[in-house]
Amino acid sequence: MRRKDGTKVGYTRMIPNICQERGHPWWLVHQAHLHAGLVEVARKEGVKLAIDARVTEIACLWEGPVRTEAGKEWAFDLLVGSDGVNSIVSRTILPHVKPRPPMGNCVYRAIVPFAQIEQDPIARELVQKLTMEVWMGEGRYIITYPISAGPDFNLVLSHHREELVEEVQGVDMRELRETYREFDERIRRVLDMIPSAQRWPLLVTGPLERWSSKRGNVVLMGDAAHSMVNHMVQGAATSIEGGAFLGRILAQVIQNRLTLPEAISIYEKICMPKSSFKQQVAFLNGAIWHLSDGPLADARDKAMEPEIRGSIS
C-alpha cells in the first residue's frame, strides 16, 4: 500500500497469511486461463458444452425451453444464470432490476508487458517482485499486479467523473495521464507506456430480494446476482464461491436428500447475505483508498504502521 507519491504505508504477506489462516491458497488467475481450466474440467466430467449459443429467450414461467440466437432450443430442469452484469436471465426473472453505477466512480483498465517496464531505468523497480500494489490518492487510486505469472503488468485505475458511466468507453490517453499527474514518477512512466485504454463502469446489482424464479427452476449466480464495485477485488471470487456452494447443495438433490426448491432456498439463504456484505465492504474500502490528504488519510496510514514495521505481517 502506497500514497500517491510512492511512500509505503502498508504491507500484507497475502499468500502465506491466507494459507495459514484459511487453510487454502490465495491465487491470482488470468480470466482466460480460469475459463480454459473450467472448460477442461467440465469436459473431463462429461459435461456437454454448447458454444456460439447466445441465449435470447427463457421460458421459465411455464414448461418451456431456452432459445438462442441461432434458433436452437434446450429444455431444462434447472437453469443457472451466470451470464454477467447484463444478464438476460436476470432480466427475465426480475425485469425491474437494472445494474447501475451508484456514483461517478469508474476505472481505466490497461496492460503493459513486463519486458517493456524492465527496460526503463526508473520504473523497472516496480516489477522486480511479483506483488500487488495500491497507490492511493484523492478521489483516485491505481492497483497494479502481475498476470500470467509475470509476463504482463495489469493496471486498474480508479477515478471519478461528474456524469454516471454506464458502458465501456474509449478514452484519450492524455486525459488518463493527466488524471494521475501528481503520482510517483515510477508509476507515471508505466502509464506513459500504455498505448490505449478503456473506461469501464462500476455497475452494482442489488441487493436483490431473491435470486431465483418463482417456480424455482431458474437461479442467478455471479455478477448476474451481485455485481459490485471493484475496491475489494472480490467480484469473481464471490462468483466462484457461489458456484461451489450451489454445486454442493445440488449434490444433495441428486442424492434425494433435498428437493430442488429446498436446495435453491438454502443457496439463497446462505449466499445472498454474504454477497451483500461484500458489496458494502467494497464501498467502504473504496472510500478508504480514495481519501484526501489530511487527518483521515493519516489515521488510515497510522493503522497500517505495524505492518511496515513488521510487528504485524
Side-chain angles (χ1 to χ4, degrees):
M1 303 294 295
R2 300 176 183 265
R3 286 204 175 209
K4 65 184 179 185
D5 64 2
T7 303
K8 292 182 179 180
V9 295
Y11 173 73
T12 301
R13 298 172 68 248
M14 181 71 75
I15 294 176
N17 285 7
I18 292 293
C19 290
Q20 180 178 349
E21 296 176 9
R22 301 298 181 184
H24 298 284
W26 184 82
W27 289 344
L28 181 61
V29 183
H30 191 293
Q31 179 175 311
H33 296 163
L34 175 62
H35 285 176
L38 292 173
V39 167
E40 181 180 347
V41 171
R43 285 176 170 159
K44 285 181 179 179
E45 295 296 326
V47 175
K48 184 179 180 180
L49 300 175
I51 61 174
D52 192 21
R54 182 182 295 275
V55 173
T56 58
E57 184 180 352
I58 305 164
C60 61
L61 302 180
W62 57 89
E63 294 297 332
V66 173
R67 297 187 180 90
T68 70
E69 281 184 341
K72 293 185 178 180
E73 296 185 354
W74 279 271
F76 61 89
D77 296 309
L78 174 67
L79 187 148
V80 179
S82 184
D83 52 338
V85 68
N86 294 310
S87 167
I88 188 173
V89 182
S90 178
R91 293 200 302 271
T92 300
I93 65 174
L94 299 169
H96 61 286
V97 172
K98 177 177 171 56
R100 299 182 185 278
M103 61 189 80
N105 189 198
C106 45
V107 297
Y108 303 115
R109 296 183 184 274
I111 296 175
V112 176
F114 255 59
Q116 186 175 356
I117 301 173
E118 288 171 335
Q119 294 172 7
D120 188 285
I122 294 177
R124 69 172 59 159
E125 177 188 344
L126 302 181
V127 295
Q128 297 304 305
K129 294 182 180 180
L130 299 181
T131 62
M132 177 182 287
E133 299 266 13
V134 181
W135 307 68
M136 300 177 290
E138 180 180 357
R140 66 207 69 193
Y141 69 73
I142 302 173
I143 296 180
T144 65
Y145 52 87
I147 53 178
S148 304
D152 294 312
F153 190 74
N154 194 57
L155 299 99
V156 180
L157 305 100
S158 179
H159 59 289
H160 287 76
R161 304 280 292 177
E162 290 185 3
E163 74 279 7
L164 297 179
V165 177
E166 300 195 58
E167 57 186 22
V168 179
Q169 303 172 346
V171 296
D172 185 325
M173 292 305 299
R174 291 172 297 182
E175 175 192 328
L176 184 152
R177 294 179 180 118
E178 176 66 16
T179 302
Y180 303 95
R181 68 185 184 280
E182 298 175 350
F183 277 56
D184 181 88
E185 182 183 6
R186 290 168 294 177
I187 193 64
R188 284 191 285 108
R189 282 184 173 247
V190 177
L191 301 190
D192 288 340
M193 300 175 192
I194 301 173
S196 63
Q198 292 179 309
R199 177 182 290 115
W200 288 72
L202 298 179
L203 304 178
V204 175
T205 302
L208 304 177
E209 69 271 19
R210 56 187 171 88
W211 286 357
S212 60
S213 63
K214 292 181 179 179
R215 292 187 61 226
N217 60 336
V218 178
V219 66
L220 301 175
M221 188 174 74
D223 277 356
H226 52 66
S227 63
M228 60 187 72
V229 294
N230 70 317
H231 309 311
M232 281 295 290
V233 203
Q234 285 296 301
T238 305
S239 303
I240 292 172
E241 181 182 32
F245 186 86
L246 183 59
R248 284 177 175 259
I249 204 70
L250 289 177
Q252 302 299 307
V253 177
I254 295 172
Q255 297 169 16
N256 292 319
R257 295 177 179 175
L258 291 172
T259 66
L260 183 57
E262 287 172 338
I264 298 304
S265 177
I266 293 171
Y267 166 68
E268 291 179 317
K269 182 178 180 180
I270 298 298
C271 292
M272 288 178 68
K274 294 182 69 174
S275 298
S276 178
F277 175 76
K278 289 184 181 182
Q279 287 176 315
Q280 300 310 311
V281 171
F283 279 123
L284 177 60
N285 209 49
I288 292 171
W289 286 358
H290 285 124
L291 286 173
S292 306
D293 290 342
L296 290 178
D298 292 341
R300 173 199 65 199
D301 298 348
K302 186 174 181 58
M304 292 188 286
E305 275 185 8
E307 298 174 353
I308 294 296
R309 294 197 305 265
S311 54
I312 295 179
S313 61

